[in-house]
Amino acid sequence: MRQSEAGFTLIELLVAMTAAGLLLAGLSWSVSRLGKQLGPPDRLAPEEEVAAFDPVLRSLAAGARPEDGQALNFTRDSVRFVTAVPQAMGGGGEAEVRIGVAGGAGARFLEGSLAPRGEAGDTRKFRMSGLWDRIRILPLEGDADAIGPAGVKIDFQGPGRAAGLVALTRVNTAADCVFDLISMACRP
């Protein structure tokens, strides 16, 4: 009598490996789809990007100090001002902030830059919004006694959507000091 050898044939081994490969491929596809559904979105909607920038703009504009007679200096598609950069934004001193419109027709976006003053530092540029058809940067008028604009308004328009930002300065009407909420005093 002949004793049979224990083990698998080559064909049986290839069939088992193919089945295991197909099972792993299906499982990895399912896990990746689930990860995409449960994970954070790849990009925010343009309206969400504008809303996320709102507190940053308010904080920067609130600390704007008068320079050349007014706190906010406007050009056609931008606003420039000097402010103390909050610690939360990596600040530690004054910086010149520029916020302007960039891009072409139908694909415009808001961008900004922070340039430290008085010390050698790198200018940091950052993008503040998604793509829009039109972005307008407008001065907000203050009291009749005010010197210069009291704030900035930024309007965003796209196909079937719109958004806006408003930020005010804390400069008093004489434009010679900034109201400090902590000390409740007007500081130069």
Side-chain angles (χ1 to χ4, degrees):
M1 246 181 151
R2 195 167 165 210
Q3 197 176 25
S4 67
E5 294 181 28
F8 297 104
T9 66
L10 184 57
I11 299 294
E12 291 171 329
L13 191 57
L14 287 175
V15 168
M17 287 177 60
T18 303
L22 290 174
L23 183 64
L24 284 175
L27 182 64
S28 67
W29 179 80
S30 297
V31 170
S32 72
R33 295 270 300 160
L34 180 64
K36 286 182 181 179
Q37 290 174 353
L38 295 178
D42 293 337
R43 269 183 49 76
L44 294 175
E47 295 87 351
E48 293 169 331
E49 287 180 344
V50 168
F53 178 64
D54 184 48
V56 174
L57 178 64
R58 287 176 188 260
S59 175
L60 290 173
R65 68 170 182 79
E67 185 174 83
D68 300 331
Q70 47 189 4
L72 302 173
N73 297 292
F74 289 85
T75 61
R76 184 172 178 265
D77 282 336
S78 69
V79 61
R80 181 189 62 81
F81 53 93
V82 175
T83 188
V85 179
Q87 289 293 335
M89 295 180 64
E94 286 191 340
E96 181 175 299
V97 177
R98 289 183 186 267
I99 298 171
V101 180
R108 298 173 69 81
F109 60 93
L110 200 61
E111 70 178 2
S113 67
L114 284 170
R117 297 194 104 193
E119 59 184 57
D122 293 335
T123 298
R124 294 184 299 178
K125 292 189 176 194
F126 46 94
R127 187 169 172 172
M128 297 177 282
S129 77
L131 299 178
W132 294 84
D133 289 342
R134 189 170 92 175
I135 301 174
R136 294 185 318 161
I137 299 176
L138 307 166
L140 283 177
E141 298 306 323
D143 300 335
D145 298 338
I147 298 174
V152 59
K153 179 179 181 184
I154 305 175
D155 289 326
F156 301 84
Q157 293 181 346
R161 59 192 166 105
L165 297 174
V166 174
L168 303 173
T169 65
R170 290 190 191 135
V171 176
N172 75 348
T173 56
D176 58 2
C177 68
V178 175
F179 184 73
D180 181 25
L181 289 176
I182 295 173
S183 67
M184 300 299 282
C186 196
R187 299 183 179 251

